[in-house]
Amino acid sequence: MNAKRSLWLGSGGLLMLAVALASFGILPSLKPVNGASSPDQSFGASDMQQVVNSYCLACHNDSFATADFSLQSVDFTNPGNHAESLEKVVKKLRAHMMPPSGMPRPEFETYGKMTTWLESELDQAWAANPDPGRISPVHRMNRYEYNNTINELLGIDVDVMGLLPGDPTADGSFDNIAASLPFSTSHMERYMSVAREVTRLATGLPPKPSISTYEIPLYMSQDWRQNDDMPFGSRGGIAVSHHFPADGEYSISIKMETNYQDYVKGLGWAQLLEVRLDGRLLERFEIGGDAPGTPSPLSFTGTGEPGSIDWEQYMLYQASEGLEVRVPVQAGPRQVSVSFVRQQIEPEGIPQPRQGGRLPANSEAYLAYQKVHAVEIAGPFDTVSNAEDSPSQQRIFSCRPEQQAEENACATDILSRLAHQAYRRPINDSDRELLLEFFNRGREMGSSFDAGIQFALEFMLSDPDFLIRRYKDPVQLGPNETFNLSDLELASRLAFFLWSSAPDEILLDLAEQNRLSDPQIYQQQVQRMLADSRGVETLVEDFAAQWLNLRRLDEVQINTVLFPEYDMSLIEAFAKESQMFVAETIKTDASVMELLGANYSFMNERLATHYGVDGIYGSRFRKAILPNTDQRGGLLSQGALLTVTSYPGRTSPVLRGKWLLDNILGTPPPPPPPNVPILPDAEAGEMPTSIRERLARHRADPICSTCHTVIDPLGFALENFDVIGAWREFDEVGNPVDAAGNYPGGVEFSGFADLRDWMLDRPDRFAHTLTEKLMTYALGRRVEYYDQPTIREIVRQAADRDYSWSSLILGIVQSPAFTMSRAPQQVAEIVIGRDEGAKAD
């Protein structure tokens, strides 16, 4: 018999097969468990062996090894010797995912006894022989870390992430996993190019004129004030923070949005467009209608004859001409805003629903609101010198030599100070000599002191000692021997976890004095870093954005014929809601369970209207109490999550269920087998079936049923939310929504509120999953089986503080997995950067 067919035998057939194998000595004798043990009866290794014999070995034996997993050789009197296998068992048992649906199962209480006993035994075995895991000896900065570090180091505010190669994610999780971050010649070339650009910007060297273009997405509504950076009484347009590299004259030009025939929209009536710099009005343009220079449609001839006014040519080309301002600007970060003065209009005729997927006719585009398509900022032209340094120059130039003889001493002071923070360690004579060599070379090429500093900084920001964090093994370590990280290594690890940036002077000074590893000082520094705005920003913008898939919002495609209310303003509101919501729980050090059960959220008028919440007006986001927590509350009901787990034209219980298993329940399903057929659509003339009926047919395939029996019912519980997160009672094809779901182990829920309450009743489960995610992000490596005892201990300790954010974070940074490492099984030396090298597996 083909071993793979063993999965699909009936339950009776599997038991008969197992008994037969036992009779031939292939499996141990099977001893069924006679019900659950009484509360006062101990559960031990023999009980565990009996349960495994009865319910597991039929599939997971050495002969069949279903899913390449066998329990036949496991000695339950010594679980620590089989920790890797048994941690997998714990995860499946905690989720009640094994035995699979349709197979005999232990009684519900037995699951709890098994997992409690296994976890206790595995934790004791780990405590007797701790394994903190091995830190990667080479860890390159990712784009986000590089961007933060250069901005803080040089005192600038620029976004260079788009200029660097993308960073891969490990298993779709985080993009800071050391083993997944390559360091190739193409990376080096891009780092060198970016280093040249940002150091010239920071030191104030005259740049060549360049053009920066800021486009507004096509599906961004411009019918109201866009955000808090826009003037009151405005609508539409865009506000951008632009770093002007030098004092000089700049050009700000505006391109108008056109319809599908390239006609500028909204020319039927005069509308006012304002250009502002740091809130100061630079120019107000009047466009369309009776504005000066606008032809009357009655004068349209279409002949193009000399002297005639061609209205079509005006709509195509001339309406956008002249929308340009030239203005002198001082170097540094400035805010440029372009917006319309808000004018209320009431369309004539019977009000019509919005038609997001339909192309408006020319007559409709003619009477619509005008829209900005893009803003271009060009320059600098005619640069001028300014006696006052920019913020970045003040940050860099701690001294100014008055004569050439003083230049080397001043350059040494500047470069030593910046290199200390850039290299995250004390600077030695070799470092100073090399940086001064680059300074002198740049001084000679650029004929100025500033040019020499710029060239040395350009080298510094492309130096492997800056780009790569290195962790060295102490000398004379035996294989697998554990050791504490040095204080300097600990400072870097802490800063890149909590700030996604290099350690500041306070951390470095403590580390160089070997005081950071003092437990009291260490805890004080962690609390200081969490209180810093960078701590919240990093955990929200980088960690949470990846954990919650918020970065995928930019890739969302929505069928606007089916969902005409969709636009980019709504997607941006989804992202901001989730960011502000997570940030609030971190800033207040709330229980992480508030992420699931909060009765509030953050919204503006656009989002509140979408959610059906009354009494919120304007573009400003604010904290709002939710009127009906049976329909809204916590992450599970936020539009960001619901949109990224949907298809363009319909919801997906599969995507939503998988996301819940992976990110909330911590039991990710295995990847689907190849060539899985898509869900069938209704044939021509047939009544469309519900997604529940289509997935039921899909689960009829035995290959699909094992995973989808768990995935689909979780996703069904969120079916009251449509593709873009609005509450509904009927699905896309008009069928009544059936939001009933279940979970292995006899758990039933009737929709979103039941699912959320069931999760809230099991806080340790969600806290464990979030700790796993946080630890993966903090360590920069995958969480392995030997990390599970540490995670369980962190969660147990955090329970006394109601699973607050700080209790989980402190537990992680104080754990052996974060503060220690172990030597490799075989020691090999590799040379990294300019130093003597580091040890690696």
Side-chain angles (χ1 to χ4, degrees):
M1 179 185 294
N2 187 331
K4 292 188 180 297
R5 291 194 60 200
S6 67
L7 276 174
W8 321 126
L9 294 172
S11 58
L14 265 175
L15 287 175
M16 291 176 60
L17 175 62
V19 172
L21 290 171
S23 66
F24 284 97
I26 299 175
L27 294 180
S29 298
L30 301 183
K31 299 178 181 179
V33 176
N34 297 319
S37 302
S38 57
D40 57 348
Q41 183 179 354
S42 63
F43 188 94
S46 60
D47 302 295
M48 188 70 204
Q49 186 68 65
Q50 285 185 334
V51 175
V52 169
N53 290 351
S54 299
Y55 299 102
C56 307
L57 287 185
C59 297
H60 298 293
N61 57 72
D62 292 346
S63 298
F64 289 161
T66 302
D68 295 323
F69 186 71
S70 174
L71 291 170
Q72 184 172 338
S73 302
V74 172
D75 178 10
F76 287 100
T77 62
N78 195 354
N81 290 343
H82 312 277
E84 185 171 5
S85 296
L86 293 181
E87 288 292 358
K88 296 177 182 178
V89 172
V90 167
K91 193 171 284 285
K92 294 294 184 182
L93 292 177
R94 276 288 182 204
H96 289 247
M97 295 179 73
M98 285 292 161
S101 177
M103 297 291 294
R105 284 172 164 254
E107 293 192 10
F108 187 84
E109 294 78 4
T110 304
Y111 277 93
K113 294 179 180 181
M114 294 164 67
T115 51
T116 301
W117 181 83
L118 276 175
E119 288 176 350
S120 175
E121 293 294 315
L122 292 169
D123 292 351
Q124 292 178 40
W126 187 92
N129 186 23
D131 183 358
R134 173 153 175 79
I135 193 171
S136 175
V138 179
H139 197 157
R140 173 177 68 81
M141 287 186 195
N142 64 17
R143 294 188 300 173
Y144 185 77
E145 294 166 340
Y146 183 89
N147 194 80
N148 287 349
T149 304
I150 62 169
N151 278 313
E152 292 174 15
L153 181 67
L154 301 179
I156 55 178
D157 183 15
V158 295
D159 184 354
V160 300
M161 289 192 286
L163 303 177
L164 295 170
D167 298 311
T169 59
D171 299 333
S173 57
F174 300 103
D175 61 6
N176 68 339
I177 306 302
S180 299
L181 290 171
F183 192 53
S184 62
T185 54
S186 63
H187 283 85
M188 197 66 206
E189 289 170 357
R190 295 308 305 156
Y191 280 123
M192 293 172 67
S193 175
V194 170
R196 182 179 304 113
E197 184 173 334
V198 298
T199 52
R200 290 185 66 88
L201 180 70
T203 54
L205 295 185
K208 296 179 181 179
S210 62
I211 298 177
S212 298
T213 302
Y214 301 92
E215 290 190 356
I216 301 178
L218 176 63
Y219 282 108
M220 174 71 76
S221 174
Q222 297 188 41
D223 294 352
W224 46 75
R225 183 171 178 243
Q226 298 297 86
N227 52 55
D228 292 342
D229 295 328
M230 308 298 274
F232 286 108
S234 69
R235 71 156 186 87
I238 188 173
V240 299
S241 178
H242 182 80
H243 194 101
F244 291 85
D247 294 352
E249 189 176 57
Y250 292 83
S251 166
I252 303 172
S253 58
I254 301 99
K255 304 295 182 186
M256 304 296 288
E257 187 175 294
T258 61
N259 75 343
Y260 72 106
Q261 287 186 312
D262 292 332
Y263 287 176
V264 174
K265 298 178 180 179
L267 296 179
W269 51 292
Q271 300 178 49
L272 300 177
L273 180 68
E274 295 183 339
V275 182
R276 295 175 180 267
L277 178 68
D278 288 338
R280 177 171 60 91
L281 179 65
L282 300 179
E283 189 68 69
R284 179 181 290 124
F285 299 98
E286 188 175 4
I287 309 167
D290 297 328
T294 304
S296 167
L298 297 178
S299 65
F300 168 69
T301 64
T303 63
E305 297 175 359
S308 69
I309 301 176
D310 194 328
W311 174 252
E312 185 172 15
Q313 293 299 309
Y314 177 79
M315 290 187 71
L316 284 170
Y317 308 113
Q318 297 170 12
S320 287
E321 291 180 357
L323 301 180
E324 181 179 356
V325 179
R326 290 180 73 94
V327 60
V329 183
Q330 288 187 340
R334 301 280 183 265
Q335 187 171 83
V336 176
S337 68
V338 176
S339 61
F340 294 93
V341 175
R342 187 168 186 179
Q343 299 162 282
Q344 300 289 353
I345 62 170
E346 185 67 30
E348 296 181 358
I350 300 174
Q352 298 293 320
R354 183 174 176 178
Q355 301 293 316
R358 183 175 61 82
L359 297 173
N362 289 339
S363 60
E364 294 173 302
Y366 176 68
L367 294 172
Y369 276 129
Q370 294 169 10
K371 295 184 178 182
V372 174
H373 168 62
V375 174
E376 291 183 350
I377 302 176
F381 309 104
D382 303 325
T383 57
V384 295
S385 59
N386 190 350
E388 183 178 346
D389 286 343
S390 68
S392 60
Q393 290 171 303
Q394 295 174 23
R395 170 84 174 87
I396 293 169
F397 294 101
S398 55
C399 57
R400 287 285 187 181
E402 296 182 358
Q403 50 188 347
Q404 191 167 355
E406 299 174 352
E407 288 189 353
N408 270 13
C410 182
T412 300
D413 178 74
I414 291 172
L415 297 175
S416 297
R417 176 176 51 83
L418 293 175
H420 178 233
Q421 189 171 355
Y423 295 155
R424 305 172 291 278
R425 58 172 173 78
I427 302 304
N428 54 41
D429 291 339
S430 175
D431 296 319
R432 294 187 185 90
E433 291 172 5
L434 185 58
L435 290 169
L436 274 178
E437 182 181 336
F438 276 90
F439 162 77
N440 289 321
R441 196 179 306 171
R443 172 73 174 83
E444 182 180 347
M445 293 187 300
S447 302
S448 72
F449 177 79
D450 289 9
I453 294 295
Q454 180 274 324
F455 196 62
L457 291 177
E458 181 180 330
F459 163 75
M460 186 188 300
L461 297 191
S462 54
D463 187 349
D465 275 20
F466 170 70
L467 298 171
I468 294 175
R469 309 200 302 272
R470 295 184 294 160
Y471 299 91
K472 297 181 181 180
D473 296 346
V475 295
Q476 298 179 342
L477 277 181
N480 290 324
E481 187 174 344
T482 61
F483 59 92
N484 292 315
L485 299 182
S486 71
D487 280 48
L488 282 169
E489 291 169 337
L490 204 54
S492 283
R493 195 167 216 194
L494 200 57
F496 279 99
F497 168 35
L498 296 179
W499 287 349
S500 285
S501 184
D504 62 5
E505 290 295 335
I506 297 175
L507 269 182
L508 285 175
D509 289 345
L510 288 171
E512 288 169 16
Q513 299 169 32
N514 292 323
R515 297 175 58 204
L516 184 59
S517 53
D518 179 280
Q520 185 176 355
I521 293 175
Y522 186 64
Q523 181 167 335
Q524 289 172 351
Q525 289 305 304
V526 174
Q527 292 170 337
R528 175 183 73 88
M529 296 175 73
L530 283 174
D532 190 291
S533 62
R534 288 172 290 180
V536 177
E537 288 171 6
T538 293
L539 290 173
V540 172
E541 294 179 2
D542 201 38
F543 167 73
Q546 296 183 79
W547 167 47
L548 300 175
N549 290 349
L550 296 183
R551 291 182 178 180
R552 284 201 56 231
L553 279 171
D554 292 337
E555 308 165 11
V556 165
Q557 299 292 326
I558 300 296
N559 185 329
T560 54
V561 174
L562 297 176
F563 300 96
E565 62 272 29
Y566 158 81
D567 58 45
M568 287 302 298
S569 300
L570 187 61
I571 296 298
E572 287 190 352
F574 286 162
K576 192 159 187 177
E577 175 196 22
S578 295
Q579 289 168 353
M580 294 182 72
F581 175 69
V582 175
E584 176 74 2
T585 64
I586 297 172
K587 285 188 288 188
T588 59
D589 196 23
S591 168
V592 297
M593 300 311 297
E594 197 165 294
L595 293 170
L596 299 181
N599 66 344
Y600 66 88
S601 192
F602 290 82
M603 58 191 77
N604 62 0
E605 182 178 355
R606 177 74 178 90
L607 188 58
T609 301
H610 184 68
Y611 284 168
V613 178
D614 298 327
I616 296 178
Y617 305 100
S619 60
R620 183 178 64 86
F621 275 76
R622 73 218 67 175
K623 188 175 181 179
I625 300 298
L626 298 165
N628 185 355
T629 54
D630 286 340
Q631 295 185 2
R632 196 76 61 179
L635 288 172
L636 303 190
S637 63
Q638 291 184 1
L641 159 67
L642 297 164
T643 301
V644 299
T645 54
S646 295
Y647 290 118
R650 68 167 177 85
T651 58
S652 173
V654 176
L655 294 180
R656 289 177 176 178
K658 180 183 181 301
W659 189 93
L660 291 171
L661 285 170
D662 189 6
N663 294 290
I664 304 297
L665 299 175
T667 52
N675 304 318
V676 175
I678 62 173
L679 290 180
D681 289 321
E683 299 291 339
E686 289 184 347
M687 179 70 70
T689 56
S690 68
I691 188 66
R692 182 181 289 270
E693 293 170 326
R694 293 159 68 189
L695 283 172
R697 295 201 300 270
H698 188 67
R699 289 194 302 275
D701 186 337
I703 297 177
C704 305
S705 65
T706 301
C707 293
H708 281 273
T709 299
V710 179
I711 297 173
D712 298 354
L714 285 171
F716 288 144
L718 300 179
E719 272 296 277
N720 277 119
F721 299 104
D722 70 10
V723 168
I724 51 177
W727 185 266
R728 64 180 183 176
E729 300 294 342
F730 298 91
D731 65 17
E732 295 85 4
V733 296
N735 296 314
V737 168
D738 180 0
N742 59 69
Y743 192 71
V747 178
E748 303 282 343
F749 30 76
S750 60
F752 155 71
D754 273 359
L755 174 64
R756 178 198 57 203
D757 293 346
W758 172 72
M759 292 178 176
L760 290 172
D761 287 341
R762 293 154 181 79
D764 59 323
R765 183 83 173 272
F766 175 63
H768 188 105
T769 302
L770 181 55
T771 304
E772 275 190 348
K773 299 292 183 181
L774 270 170
M775 182 170 276
T776 300
Y777 180 80
L779 301 180
R781 65 167 172 81
R782 296 178 181 87
V783 167
E784 302 290 351
Y785 70 92
Y786 45 76
D787 297 308
Q788 291 301 326
T790 298
I791 294 172
R792 286 192 286 267
E793 179 60 23
I794 292 171
V795 174
R796 282 193 290 266
Q797 296 290 335
D800 295 335
R801 295 179 53 192
D802 196 24
Y803 304 103
S804 66
W805 274 100
S806 62
S807 66
L808 296 181
I809 292 171
L810 278 169
I812 289 171
V813 300
Q814 292 172 342
S815 69
F818 193 88
T819 61
M820 299 177 67
S821 184
R822 62 170 164 79
Q825 294 181 356
Q826 294 181 344
V827 177
E829 188 174 50
I830 58 174
V831 177
I832 307 158
R834 297 182 284 104
D835 215 330
E836 65 273 24
K839 306 296 182 182
D841 282 324

